[in-house]
Amino acid sequence: MFDASEAPARSGAPAAPPAPVPAAELPALRRRTSAVLIASQILGGLGVPIGIALAPVLATEVGGSEELSGLGPTASVAGTALLSLPLAALMTARGRRPGLVLAYLIGALGAGLVVLSTLVESFPLLLLGMAAFGAGSSANLQARFAAADLAEPERRGRAISTVIWATTIGSVLGPNIAAPVGRFFRGGPVSEQAGPFVFAAGIFLMSAMVVGALLRPDPLLTARGLAPQDEASAAGRSLRAGIAAVRASPMARLALTTVAVSHTAMVSIMVMTPVELGHHGAGLQLIGLVISSHILGMYAFSPVMGWLSDRFGRLAVIGLAAALLACATLLAGTASGSHGQTAAGLFTLGLGWSAGLVGGSALLTDSVPQAARAAVQGLSDLTMNTAAGVGGAVAGVVVARAGYGWLNAIGACLLLPMAALALRRALAPSAPPRD
């Protein structure tokens, strides 16, 4: 049913919040919102990993050089970054629902462009398609903040982690579906490697339909209606206000650093692992299994990270993230062709990313006023994906010229600023968290 409170105003003014929800109805609304987000995450999770697994392969195939292999996934990460602020601006003005729907639609368009690029053998078109495809990942990432909009402060970590966990089902199946879906296109005009992107386009369209039809009332607009009047002003919702909120909060700066470093280390190593496995005789099926184990680590244990974050604090989980990521770089970087050790390293890499994303996202939401949260969350995704995009681009060159081991060593060095900031904040006098 159409909700008039969420309709765009003709004047371009932000959408008015819906009528305040009675306190007795909030638990049911939280459950409904979580269920819709979980459904969209399961669907979106089927589509996004196809790009993770096949983008380096297609970039090498269409571009004709292994040094270009990192640019395929990098374009996807860059697209996620570039779309973060426009989507955050749309969500700030209109709510989570229109932003998530638009992101999934752009992702579907990008998947179609990827397929077209292989037919016309255009590397620039491939990069453009992968950049648009990254909008699907942006939608999946933003959904974690939608889950936090209505969550109680003491349960934010678990609310965020539950939605992240929902991606497990699709994300583990996605890379393994790539091979059989690809075989369906064998012998046709669409290549076996590009065929799974046709499937991804359909999945993103289904995700857009689920969110568009069912995410009502909008969680962000509802949360604004529940916020104290002094935190609900439109002036506090701009990107400038978001930047000011981060500058004013040391914990928010640590949170931004955590999600950026965790994501950069993970993406840089992950995108080059299929190429490294290929060098040591791994086929598409084995590559899919290794990426699935990695994604299992990323998502399946996120509820544990959320519980730890709420029970022992955000800083403890950030410290755990640094330790797990360091262990992952050691395992993967010294595998020397051992597929089992590489898989163990990638699984641990996923666990470290999960701890960093859950702990950092919860800390970021805790550390800024409600009115500025959507803008700050968009800034967070811009920062983490821009950094990861640079890391992915550099990763291909590092592996081609120095080797996969050196890439992991550089990834370990990236963890030092995050660990140092976390230790500094842990030793500093504590301040009461925001509601």
PDB file of all heavy atoms in Angstrom, residues 366-405:
ATOM      1  N   ASP A 366      26.654   4.542  17.134  1.00  0.00           N
ATOM      2  CA  ASP A 366      26.633   5.012  18.522  1.00  0.00           C
ATOM      3  C   ASP A 366      27.176   6.424  18.667  1.00  0.00           C
ATOM      4  O   ASP A 366      26.758   7.161  19.568  1.00  0.00           O
ATOM      5  CB  ASP A 366      27.493   4.101  19.410  1.00  0.00           C
ATOM      6  CG  ASP A 366      26.916   2.712  19.596  1.00  0.00           C
ATOM      7  OD1 ASP A 366      25.721   2.525  19.318  1.00  0.00           O
ATOM      8  OD2 ASP A 366      27.678   1.817  19.998  1.00  0.00           O
ATOM      9  N   SER A 367      28.123   6.797  17.802  1.00  0.00           N
ATOM     10  CA  SER A 367      28.981   7.953  18.071  1.00  0.00           C
ATOM     11  C   SER A 367      28.514   9.269  17.468  1.00  0.00           C
ATOM     12  O   SER A 367      29.147  10.297  17.705  1.00  0.00           O
ATOM     13  CB  SER A 367      30.408   7.660  17.570  1.00  0.00           C
ATOM     14  OG  SER A 367      30.923   6.497  18.169  1.00  0.00           O
ATOM     15  N   VAL A 368      27.426   9.263  16.688  1.00  0.00           N
ATOM     16  CA  VAL A 368      26.973  10.495  16.043  1.00  0.00           C
ATOM     17  C   VAL A 368      25.489  10.702  16.324  1.00  0.00           C
ATOM     18  O   VAL A 368      24.765   9.748  16.583  1.00  0.00           O
ATOM     19  CB  VAL A 368      27.223  10.465  14.520  1.00  0.00           C
ATOM     20  CG1 VAL A 368      28.710  10.385  14.230  1.00  0.00           C
ATOM     21  CG2 VAL A 368      26.490   9.314  13.855  1.00  0.00           C
ATOM     22  N   PRO A 369      24.999  11.955  16.266  1.00  0.00           N
ATOM     23  CA  PRO A 369      23.571  12.210  16.507  1.00  0.00           C
ATOM     24  C   PRO A 369      22.688  11.537  15.468  1.00  0.00           C
ATOM     25  O   PRO A 369      23.107  11.313  14.335  1.00  0.00           O
ATOM     26  CB  PRO A 369      23.470  13.746  16.400  1.00  0.00           C
ATOM     27  CG  PRO A 369      24.862  14.249  16.582  1.00  0.00           C
ATOM     28  CD  PRO A 369      25.766  13.187  16.043  1.00  0.00           C
ATOM     29  N   GLN A 370      21.437  11.268  15.849  1.00  0.00           N
ATOM     30  CA  GLN A 370      20.524  10.564  14.957  1.00  0.00           C
ATOM     31  C   GLN A 370      20.342  11.278  13.626  1.00  0.00           C
ATOM     32  O   GLN A 370      20.328  10.651  12.560  1.00  0.00           O
ATOM     33  CB  GLN A 370      19.160  10.374  15.649  1.00  0.00           C
ATOM     34  CG  GLN A 370      18.278   9.289  15.049  1.00  0.00           C
ATOM     35  CD  GLN A 370      17.605   9.685  13.751  1.00  0.00           C
ATOM     36  OE1 GLN A 370      17.344  10.853  13.506  1.00  0.00           O
ATOM     37  NE2 GLN A 370      17.343   8.692  12.912  1.00  0.00           N
ATOM     38  N   ALA A 371      20.209  12.591  13.652  1.00  0.00           N
ATOM     39  CA  ALA A 371      19.959  13.344  12.423  1.00  0.00           C
ATOM     40  C   ALA A 371      21.091  13.199  11.419  1.00  0.00           C
ATOM     41  O   ALA A 371      20.860  13.220  10.207  1.00  0.00           O
ATOM     42  CB  ALA A 371      19.744  14.827  12.753  1.00  0.00           C
ATOM     43  N   ALA A 372      22.315  13.037  11.891  1.00  0.00           N
ATOM     44  CA  ALA A 372      23.477  12.972  11.003  1.00  0.00           C
ATOM     45  C   ALA A 372      23.824  11.553  10.584  1.00  0.00           C
ATOM     46  O   ALA A 372      24.727  11.368   9.763  1.00  0.00           O
ATOM     47  CB  ALA A 372      24.683  13.612  11.698  1.00  0.00           C
ATOM     48  N   ARG A 373      23.119  10.556  11.105  1.00  0.00           N
ATOM     49  CA  ARG A 373      23.561   9.175  10.904  1.00  0.00           C
ATOM     50  C   ARG A 373      23.543   8.747   9.440  1.00  0.00           C
ATOM     51  O   ARG A 373      24.478   8.111   8.962  1.00  0.00           O
ATOM     52  CB  ARG A 373      22.707   8.226  11.749  1.00  0.00           C
ATOM     53  CG  ARG A 373      23.167   8.208  13.205  1.00  0.00           C
ATOM     54  CD  ARG A 373      22.270   7.387  14.094  1.00  0.00           C
ATOM     55  NE  ARG A 373      22.660   7.578  15.497  1.00  0.00           N
ATOM     56  CZ  ARG A 373      21.901   7.259  16.518  1.00  0.00           C
ATOM     57  NH1 ARG A 373      20.696   6.726  16.318  1.00  0.00           N
ATOM     58  NH2 ARG A 373      22.325   7.474  17.757  1.00  0.00           N
ATOM     59  N   ALA A 374      22.488   9.057   8.702  1.00  0.00           N
ATOM     60  CA  ALA A 374      22.423   8.617   7.307  1.00  0.00           C
ATOM     61  C   ALA A 374      23.576   9.199   6.499  1.00  0.00           C
ATOM     62  O   ALA A 374      24.208   8.512   5.690  1.00  0.00           O
ATOM     63  CB  ALA A 374      21.082   8.998   6.687  1.00  0.00           C
ATOM     64  N   ALA A 375      23.875  10.490   6.712  1.00  0.00           N
ATOM     65  CA  ALA A 375      24.987  11.124   5.994  1.00  0.00           C
ATOM     66  C   ALA A 375      26.323  10.511   6.404  1.00  0.00           C
ATOM     67  O   ALA A 375      27.185  10.240   5.559  1.00  0.00           O
ATOM     68  CB  ALA A 375      24.991  12.629   6.259  1.00  0.00           C
ATOM     69  N   VAL A 376      26.507  10.269   7.691  1.00  0.00           N
ATOM     70  CA  VAL A 376      27.758   9.685   8.179  1.00  0.00           C
ATOM     71  C   VAL A 376      27.905   8.253   7.663  1.00  0.00           C
ATOM     72  O   VAL A 376      29.009   7.828   7.287  1.00  0.00           O
ATOM     73  CB  VAL A 376      27.802   9.718   9.717  1.00  0.00           C
ATOM     74  CG1 VAL A 376      28.957   8.881  10.249  1.00  0.00           C
ATOM     75  CG2 VAL A 376      27.929  11.152  10.214  1.00  0.00           C
ATOM     76  N   GLN A 377      26.818   7.512   7.620  1.00  0.00           N
ATOM     77  CA  GLN A 377      26.879   6.138   7.121  1.00  0.00           C
ATOM     78  C   GLN A 377      27.219   6.102   5.638  1.00  0.00           C
ATOM     79  O   GLN A 377      27.970   5.242   5.177  1.00  0.00           O
ATOM     80  CB  GLN A 377      25.544   5.448   7.406  1.00  0.00           C
ATOM     81  CG  GLN A 377      25.345   5.173   8.893  1.00  0.00           C
ATOM     82  CD  GLN A 377      23.888   5.017   9.294  1.00  0.00           C
ATOM     83  OE1 GLN A 377      22.980   5.193   8.473  1.00  0.00           O
ATOM     84  NE2 GLN A 377      23.651   4.675  10.554  1.00  0.00           N
ATOM     85  N   GLY A 378      26.684   7.062   4.867  1.00  0.00           N
ATOM     86  CA  GLY A 378      27.077   7.171   3.465  1.00  0.00           C
ATOM     87  C   GLY A 378      28.541   7.541   3.319  1.00  0.00           C
ATOM     88  O   GLY A 378      29.261   7.000   2.467  1.00  0.00           O
ATOM     89  N   LEU A 379      29.020   8.456   4.172  1.00  0.00           N
ATOM     90  CA  LEU A 379      30.431   8.822   4.171  1.00  0.00           C
ATOM     91  C   LEU A 379      31.302   7.628   4.514  1.00  0.00           C
ATOM     92  O   LEU A 379      32.384   7.429   3.938  1.00  0.00           O
ATOM     93  CB  LEU A 379      30.662   9.955   5.175  1.00  0.00           C
ATOM     94  CG  LEU A 379      32.093  10.475   5.328  1.00  0.00           C
ATOM     95  CD1 LEU A 379      32.561  11.115   4.029  1.00  0.00           C
ATOM     96  CD2 LEU A 379      32.174  11.469   6.486  1.00  0.00           C
ATOM     97  N   SER A 380      30.836   6.793   5.447  1.00  0.00           N
ATOM     98  CA  SER A 380      31.576   5.589   5.821  1.00  0.00           C
ATOM     99  C   SER A 380      31.734   4.650   4.631  1.00  0.00           C
ATOM    100  O   SER A 380      32.835   4.151   4.352  1.00  0.00           O
ATOM    101  CB  SER A 380      30.844   4.872   6.960  1.00  0.00           C
ATOM    102  OG  SER A 380      31.371   3.583   7.180  1.00  0.00           O
ATOM    103  N   ASP A 381      30.629   4.398   3.917  1.00  0.00           N
ATOM    104  CA  ASP A 381      30.708   3.495   2.769  1.00  0.00           C
ATOM    105  C   ASP A 381      31.541   4.087   1.645  1.00  0.00           C
ATOM    106  O   ASP A 381      32.244   3.359   0.931  1.00  0.00           O
ATOM    107  CB  ASP A 381      29.302   3.155   2.277  1.00  0.00           C
ATOM    108  CG  ASP A 381      28.613   2.125   3.164  1.00  0.00           C
ATOM    109  OD1 ASP A 381      29.255   1.660   4.119  1.00  0.00           O
ATOM    110  OD2 ASP A 381      27.448   1.802   2.901  1.00  0.00           O
ATOM    111  N   LEU A 382      31.477   5.411   1.457  1.00  0.00           N
ATOM    112  CA  LEU A 382      32.346   6.062   0.471  1.00  0.00           C
ATOM    113  C   LEU A 382      33.808   5.849   0.826  1.00  0.00           C
ATOM    114  O   LEU A 382      34.625   5.475  -0.018  1.00  0.00           O
ATOM    115  CB  LEU A 382      32.032   7.560   0.404  1.00  0.00           C
ATOM    116  CG  LEU A 382      33.017   8.406  -0.416  1.00  0.00           C
ATOM    117  CD1 LEU A 382      32.950   8.036  -1.889  1.00  0.00           C
ATOM    118  CD2 LEU A 382      32.755   9.892  -0.218  1.00  0.00           C
ATOM    119  N   THR A 383      34.151   6.081   2.093  1.00  0.00           N
ATOM    120  CA  THR A 383      35.538   5.962   2.532  1.00  0.00           C
ATOM    121  C   THR A 383      36.055   4.538   2.375  1.00  0.00           C
ATOM    122  O   THR A 383      37.129   4.298   1.818  1.00  0.00           O
ATOM    123  CB  THR A 383      35.660   6.397   4.005  1.00  0.00           C
ATOM    124  OG1 THR A 383      35.190   7.740   4.148  1.00  0.00           O
ATOM    125  CG2 THR A 383      37.106   6.320   4.481  1.00  0.00           C
ATOM    126  N   MET A 384      35.268   3.564   2.853  1.00  0.00           N
ATOM    127  CA  MET A 384      35.750   2.189   2.830  1.00  0.00           C
ATOM    128  C   MET A 384      35.869   1.658   1.407  1.00  0.00           C
ATOM    129  O   MET A 384      36.821   0.951   1.076  1.00  0.00           O
ATOM    130  CB  MET A 384      34.857   1.286   3.678  1.00  0.00           C
ATOM    131  CG  MET A 384      33.459   1.102   3.188  1.00  0.00           C
ATOM    132  SD  MET A 384      32.424   0.145   4.353  1.00  0.00           S
ATOM    133  CE  MET A 384      32.540  -1.483   3.608  1.00  0.00           C
ATOM    134  N   ASN A 385      34.935   2.030   0.533  1.00  0.00           N
ATOM    135  CA  ASN A 385      34.986   1.505  -0.828  1.00  0.00           C
ATOM    136  C   ASN A 385      35.983   2.241  -1.704  1.00  0.00           C
ATOM    137  O   ASN A 385      36.561   1.637  -2.611  1.00  0.00           O
ATOM    138  CB  ASN A 385      33.586   1.538  -1.434  1.00  0.00           C
ATOM    139  CG  ASN A 385      32.693   0.450  -0.875  1.00  0.00           C
ATOM    140  OD1 ASN A 385      32.944  -0.730  -1.070  1.00  0.00           O
ATOM    141  ND2 ASN A 385      31.658   0.838  -0.134  1.00  0.00           N
ATOM    142  N   THR A 386      36.205   3.528  -1.433  1.00  0.00           N
ATOM    143  CA  THR A 386      37.254   4.238  -2.159  1.00  0.00           C
ATOM    144  C   THR A 386      38.622   3.655  -1.821  1.00  0.00           C
ATOM    145  O   THR A 386      39.443   3.387  -2.706  1.00  0.00           O
ATOM    146  CB  THR A 386      37.223   5.733  -1.818  1.00  0.00           C
ATOM    147  OG1 THR A 386      35.961   6.284  -2.212  1.00  0.00           O
ATOM    148  CG2 THR A 386      38.329   6.479  -2.550  1.00  0.00           C
ATOM    149  N   ALA A 387      38.852   3.457  -0.529  1.00  0.00           N
ATOM    150  CA  ALA A 387      40.126   2.870  -0.103  1.00  0.00           C
ATOM    151  C   ALA A 387      40.299   1.468  -0.671  1.00  0.00           C
ATOM    152  O   ALA A 387      41.380   1.101  -1.159  1.00  0.00           O
ATOM    153  CB  ALA A 387      40.201   2.838   1.424  1.00  0.00           C
ATOM    154  N   ALA A 388      39.221   0.680  -0.650  1.00  0.00           N
ATOM    155  CA  ALA A 388      39.306  -0.678  -1.182  1.00  0.00           C
ATOM    156  C   ALA A 388      39.483  -0.673  -2.691  1.00  0.00           C
ATOM    157  O   ALA A 388      40.153  -1.546  -3.253  1.00  0.00           O
ATOM    158  CB  ALA A 388      38.048  -1.459  -0.810  1.00  0.00           C
ATOM    159  N   GLY A 389      38.883   0.322  -3.373  1.00  0.00           N
ATOM    160  CA  GLY A 389      39.063   0.426  -4.817  1.00  0.00           C
ATOM    161  C   GLY A 389      40.512   0.678  -5.191  1.00  0.00           C
ATOM    162  O   GLY A 389      41.044   0.066  -6.124  1.00  0.00           O
ATOM    163  N   VAL A 390      41.148   1.573  -4.455  1.00  0.00           N
ATOM    164  CA  VAL A 390      42.576   1.819  -4.687  1.00  0.00           C
ATOM    165  C   VAL A 390      43.377   0.563  -4.392  1.00  0.00           C
ATOM    166  O   VAL A 390      44.277   0.174  -5.145  1.00  0.00           O
ATOM    167  CB  VAL A 390      43.057   3.002  -3.813  1.00  0.00           C
ATOM    168  CG1 VAL A 390      44.567   3.159  -3.920  1.00  0.00           C
ATOM    169  CG2 VAL A 390      42.359   4.289  -4.225  1.00  0.00           C
ATOM    170  N   GLY A 391      43.023  -0.108  -3.284  1.00  0.00           N
ATOM    171  CA  GLY A 391      43.732  -1.331  -2.926  1.00  0.00           C
ATOM    172  C   GLY A 391      43.587  -2.411  -3.972  1.00  0.00           C
ATOM    173  O   GLY A 391      44.551  -3.099  -4.314  1.00  0.00           O
ATOM    174  N   GLY A 392      42.389  -2.567  -4.532  1.00  0.00           N
ATOM    175  CA  GLY A 392      42.171  -3.573  -5.564  1.00  0.00           C
ATOM    176  C   GLY A 392      42.937  -3.279  -6.833  1.00  0.00           C
ATOM    177  O   GLY A 392      43.463  -4.188  -7.485  1.00  0.00           O
ATOM    178  N   ALA A 393      43.003  -1.987  -7.200  1.00  0.00           N
ATOM    179  CA  ALA A 393      43.743  -1.611  -8.411  1.00  0.00           C
ATOM    180  C   ALA A 393      45.230  -1.886  -8.245  1.00  0.00           C
ATOM    181  O   ALA A 393      45.895  -2.388  -9.159  1.00  0.00           O
ATOM    182  CB  ALA A 393      43.506  -0.139  -8.725  1.00  0.00           C
ATOM    183  N   VAL A 394      45.746  -1.559  -7.077  1.00  0.00           N
ATOM    184  CA  VAL A 394      47.171  -1.769  -6.818  1.00  0.00           C
ATOM    185  C   VAL A 394      47.479  -3.257  -6.678  1.00  0.00           C
ATOM    186  O   VAL A 394      48.574  -3.714  -7.041  1.00  0.00           O
ATOM    187  CB  VAL A 394      47.600  -0.996  -5.553  1.00  0.00           C
ATOM    188  CG1 VAL A 394      49.023  -1.341  -5.148  1.00  0.00           C
ATOM    189  CG2 VAL A 394      47.456   0.503  -5.781  1.00  0.00           C
ATOM    190  N   ALA A 395      46.504  -4.027  -6.174  1.00  0.00           N
ATOM    191  CA  ALA A 395      46.741  -5.443  -5.902  1.00  0.00           C
ATOM    192  C   ALA A 395      47.154  -6.205  -7.154  1.00  0.00           C
ATOM    193  O   ALA A 395      48.060  -7.058  -7.102  1.00  0.00           O
ATOM    194  CB  ALA A 395      45.484  -6.077  -5.300  1.00  0.00           C
ATOM    195  N   GLY A 396      46.505  -5.918  -8.284  1.00  0.00           N
ATOM    196  CA  GLY A 396      46.857  -6.620  -9.516  1.00  0.00           C
ATOM    197  C   GLY A 396      48.291  -6.378  -9.922  1.00  0.00           C
ATOM    198  O   GLY A 396      49.005  -7.297 -10.350  1.00  0.00           O
ATOM    199  N   VAL A 397      48.741  -5.138  -9.793  1.00  0.00           N
ATOM    200  CA  VAL A 397      50.116  -4.794 -10.146  1.00  0.00           C
ATOM    201  C   VAL A 397      51.096  -5.449  -9.185  1.00  0.00           C
ATOM    202  O   VAL A 397      52.139  -5.971  -9.584  1.00  0.00           O
ATOM    203  CB  VAL A 397      50.298  -3.264 -10.156  1.00  0.00           C
ATOM    204  CG1 VAL A 397      51.743  -2.891 -10.466  1.00  0.00           C
ATOM    205  CG2 VAL A 397      49.350  -2.620 -11.169  1.00  0.00           C
ATOM    206  N   VAL A 398      50.759  -5.435  -7.870  1.00  0.00           N
ATOM    207  CA  VAL A 398      51.650  -6.029  -6.864  1.00  0.00           C
ATOM    208  C   VAL A 398      51.830  -7.517  -7.126  1.00  0.00           C
ATOM    209  O   VAL A 398      52.951  -8.045  -7.104  1.00  0.00           O
ATOM    210  CB  VAL A 398      51.096  -5.791  -5.444  1.00  0.00           C
ATOM    211  CG1 VAL A 398      51.878  -6.611  -4.418  1.00  0.00           C
ATOM    212  CG2 VAL A 398      51.147  -4.325  -5.089  1.00  0.00           C
ATOM    213  N   VAL A 399      50.726  -8.219  -7.398  1.00  0.00           N
ATOM    214  CA  VAL A 399      50.812  -9.662  -7.630  1.00  0.00           C
ATOM    215  C   VAL A 399      51.580  -9.957  -8.919  1.00  0.00           C
ATOM    216  O   VAL A 399      52.408 -10.879  -8.969  1.00  0.00           O
ATOM    217  CB  VAL A 399      49.401 -10.284  -7.681  1.00  0.00           C
ATOM    218  CG1 VAL A 399      49.456 -11.719  -8.172  1.00  0.00           C
ATOM    219  CG2 VAL A 399      48.761 -10.233  -6.303  1.00  0.00           C
ATOM    220  N   ALA A 400      51.340  -9.166  -9.955  1.00  0.00           N
ATOM    221  CA  ALA A 400      52.014  -9.404 -11.235  1.00  0.00           C
ATOM    222  C   ALA A 400      53.513  -9.165 -11.130  1.00  0.00           C
ATOM    223  O   ALA A 400      54.311  -9.866 -11.773  1.00  0.00           O
ATOM    224  CB  ALA A 400      51.412  -8.513 -12.318  1.00  0.00           C
ATOM    225  N   ARG A 401      53.939  -8.220 -10.314  1.00  0.00           N
ATOM    226  CA  ARG A 401      55.356  -7.840 -10.278  1.00  0.00           C
ATOM    227  C   ARG A 401      56.115  -8.371  -9.075  1.00  0.00           C
ATOM    228  O   ARG A 401      57.335  -8.550  -9.140  1.00  0.00           O
ATOM    229  CB  ARG A 401      55.468  -6.311 -10.317  1.00  0.00           C
ATOM    230  CG  ARG A 401      54.791  -5.725 -11.543  1.00  0.00           C
ATOM    231  CD  ARG A 401      55.250  -4.332 -11.837  1.00  0.00           C
ATOM    232  NE  ARG A 401      54.656  -3.845 -13.072  1.00  0.00           N
ATOM    233  CZ  ARG A 401      55.011  -2.717 -13.680  1.00  0.00           C
ATOM    234  NH1 ARG A 401      55.959  -1.973 -13.151  1.00  0.00           N
ATOM    235  NH2 ARG A 401      54.411  -2.343 -14.788  1.00  0.00           N
ATOM    236  N   ALA A 402      55.412  -8.593  -7.950  1.00  0.00           N
ATOM    237  CA  ALA A 402      56.116  -9.033  -6.746  1.00  0.00           C
ATOM    238  C   ALA A 402      55.591 -10.351  -6.203  1.00  0.00           C
ATOM    239  O   ALA A 402      56.338 -11.082  -5.555  1.00  0.00           O
ATOM    240  CB  ALA A 402      56.021  -7.951  -5.664  1.00  0.00           C
ATOM    241  N   GLY A 403      54.334 -10.657  -6.436  1.00  0.00           N
ATOM    242  CA  GLY A 403      53.795 -11.922  -5.973  1.00  0.00           C
ATOM    243  C   GLY A 403      52.705 -11.767  -4.928  1.00  0.00           C
ATOM    244  O   GLY A 403      52.553 -10.718  -4.283  1.00  0.00           O
ATOM    245  N   TYR A 404      51.938 -12.809  -4.770  1.00  0.00           N
ATOM    246  CA  TYR A 404      50.797 -12.844  -3.854  1.00  0.00           C
ATOM    247  C   TYR A 404      51.243 -12.710  -2.393  1.00  0.00           C
ATOM    248  O   TYR A 404      50.542 -12.119  -1.569  1.00  0.00           O
ATOM    249  CB  TYR A 404      50.055 -14.152  -4.079  1.00  0.00           C
ATOM    250  CG  TYR A 404      48.773 -14.330  -3.315  1.00  0.00           C
ATOM    251  CD1 TYR A 404      47.647 -13.568  -3.603  1.00  0.00           C
ATOM    252  CD2 TYR A 404      48.669 -15.315  -2.335  1.00  0.00           C
ATOM    253  CE1 TYR A 404      46.454 -13.765  -2.920  1.00  0.00           C
ATOM    254  CE2 TYR A 404      47.485 -15.527  -1.648  1.00  0.00           C
ATOM    255  CZ  TYR A 404      46.378 -14.741  -1.938  1.00  0.00           C
ATOM    256  OH  TYR A 404      45.197 -14.946  -1.269  1.00  0.00           O
ATOM    257  N   GLY A 405      52.399 -13.247  -2.061  1.00  0.00           N
ATOM    258  CA  GLY A 405      52.912 -13.139  -0.694  1.00  0.00           C
ATOM    259  C   GLY A 405      53.142 -11.700  -0.283  1.00  0.00           C
ATOM    260  O   GLY A 405      52.812 -11.295   0.839  1.00  0.00           O
TER     261      GLY A 405
END
